Every structure is written in structure tokens, then in C-alpha cells.
């Protein structure tokens, strides 16, 4: 199941990472154009996260490999975008450290819980889903960094949303750690 349609969409998110980063190194392209291209690319590739899951269920093409690759692709896309935003001085490095640090910690926790056969303790929860949704809105706002049609200031909204996502990130990490705590205590004796 390496190359069915849902998995190809997941691979597309991974391939997108150097493309989104590379947009900001294009010569002869204005900053406004770079922002727009990166924003559209991020949105299109972020939508593949929904599409690959939907298609995998609809076409009955779910697989263990797809279940592994999907969150990895999401994390790569978000983390790479955050690093670009920090580099462009559009996101605070502290926010990036919170979000990336949480992803590493929770991924490690989930791996350990899988090894000991307790994955249900750290199954995806609504707080984690809310965190992801807010991140997926904040990042394109910050990538765009302007006023589309003269309406809203995406930098201001993106900054607020990325900080809200940092709070949700901490909240979800605490939630998952609390759920795993009984297993951690039982195995630390």
C-alpha cells in the first residue's frame, strides 16, 4: 500500500516541504508573490490531509503504512512551515519550540505506548484535533502576511492564532501525559 491514491496524497505533503521552503528563495519573484504562492501551496497540501483519510476509508485502502505516514507528513509540513515563519520573523521562536517540542515528545510517548501495548491511552483526542485545526489556519495567515482584498490583517490574526495553537499544544500534551501517567508509573517501579 505504498502507492495507492491516499498514500500518494500523503507523500505529496512530504514532497511539498522543499517546494514551500524553496518559494522564498526564488529570484525575480516579489515578496508578495512568494507569500501568495507559499500560502496556496500550504493550503492545497494541508487539504490533502483530509482527502487522504477520506479516500482511504471510501476506497477501502487503509493501511498500517498509511496510518504511520499520515501524521509524519503532517508534522513535517507544520514544523518546516514554522521554521520558515521563524526565519522570516513572522512567528516567535518560542512558539515554534513549544509546537515542535510537543510533537517530538508526544510522538515518542506514542511510540513507547505502542511498544508496551497501551496505545489507546494516547489515542487522538479533540484537544489535539483543535490544536491541529488552529495551526492549519494560523500558518497560511502568517505565510500570506498581508491584507487580502484590503480586509483583514493576516499577520495579526495569524499571530493570535499561532499563540492560541501554542496554548492548545501545551494543553494537549498535558492531556496525553496524564492519560499515559498510570502506564509510566506502573513501569517505573
Amino acid at each position: 500500500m505504498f502507492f495507492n491514491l491516499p498514500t500518494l496524497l500523503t507523500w505529496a505533503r512530504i514532497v511539498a516541504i522543499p517546494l514551500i521552503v524553496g518559494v522564498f528563495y526564488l529570484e525575480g519573484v516579489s515578496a508578495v508573490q512568494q507569500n501568495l504562492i507559499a500560502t496556496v501551496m500550504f493550503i492545497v497540501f494541508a487539504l490533502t490531509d483530509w482527502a487522504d483519510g477520506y479516500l482511504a476509508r471510501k476506497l477501502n485502502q487503509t493501511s498500517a503504512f498509511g496510518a504511520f505516514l499520515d501524521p509524519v507528513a503532517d508534522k513535517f509540513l507544520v514544523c518546516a512551515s514554522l521554521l520558515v515563519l521563524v526565519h522570516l520573523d513572522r512567528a516567535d521562536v518560542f512558539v515554534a519550540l513549544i509546537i515542535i517540542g510537543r510533537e517530538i515528545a508526544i510522538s515518542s510517548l506514542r511510540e513507547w505506548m505502542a511498544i508496551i501495548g497501551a496505545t489507546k491511552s494516547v489515542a487522538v483526542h479533540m484537544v489535539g484535533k483543535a490544536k491541529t485545526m488552529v495551526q492549519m489556519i494560523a500558518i497560511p495567515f502568517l505565510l500570506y502576511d498581508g491584507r487580502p482584498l484590503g480586509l483583514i490583517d493576516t499577520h495579526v490574526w495569524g499571530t493570535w492564532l499561532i499563540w492560541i495553537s501554542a496554548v492548545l499544544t501545551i494543553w494537549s500534551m498535558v492531556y496525553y501525559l496524564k492519560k499515559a501517567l498510570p502506564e509510566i508509573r506502573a513501569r517505573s517501579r
Side-chain angles (χ1 to χ4, degrees):
M1 293 276 189
F2 280 149
F3 296 109
N4 60 30
L5 181 57
T7 307
L8 286 173
L9 289 173
T10 304
W11 280 112
R13 279 201 307 287
I14 294 171
V15 170
I17 294 164
L19 298 176
I20 291 172
V21 173
V23 163
F24 292 101
Y25 293 94
L26 291 175
E27 292 186 22
V29 179
S30 73
V32 172
Q33 291 170 321
Q34 290 173 337
N35 292 347
L36 180 60
I37 293 166
T39 302
V40 169
M41 287 174 64
F42 182 89
I43 291 168
V44 167
F45 287 112
L47 288 174
T48 66
D49 183 30
W50 170 82
D52 64 14
Y54 173 79
L55 289 171
R57 289 183 297 277
K58 183 89 170 158
L59 301 173
N60 197 25
Q61 294 182 341
T62 57
S63 68
F65 180 73
F68 155 76
L69 191 63
D70 183 63
V72 170
D74 296 343
K75 287 166 184 35
F76 279 165
L77 183 62
V78 167
C79 292
S81 297
L82 281 171
L83 292 175
V84 166
L85 292 169
V86 167
H87 177 73
L88 295 171
D89 203 26
R90 296 181 192 172
D92 193 293
V93 70
F94 191 63
V95 168
L97 287 171
I98 290 170
I99 293 171
I100 294 169
R102 180 263 187 208
E103 296 304 341
I104 293 168
I106 297 304
S107 293
S108 299
L109 177 66
R110 284 194 172 123
E111 182 180 342
W112 182 70
M113 295 297 275
I115 290 169
I116 65 170
T119 54
K120 290 188 182 199
S121 299
V122 288
V124 176
H125 184 264
M126 278 311 294
V127 178
K129 289 181 179 189
K131 171 217 43 119
T132 300
M133 183 185 71
V134 174
Q135 283 175 0
M136 295 303 196
I137 296 169
I139 291 171
F141 273 33
L142 292 168
L143 286 170
Y144 188 80
D145 195 45
R147 289 183 168 269
L149 305 174
L151 298 174
I152 64 168
D153 185 338
T154 65
H155 182 80
V156 170
W157 279 90
T159 300
W160 276 100
L161 288 169
I162 204 69
W163 276 103
I164 290 168
S165 96
V167 170
L168 290 171
T169 295
I170 294 167
W171 183 5
S172 70
M173 184 172 73
V174 169
Y175 173 83
Y176 292 126
L177 288 172
K178 284 173 87 173
K179 293 297 256 179
L181 197 57
E183 294 293 339
I184 293 169
R185 284 188 177 139
R187 288 181 171 58
S188 65
R189 294 181 188 154

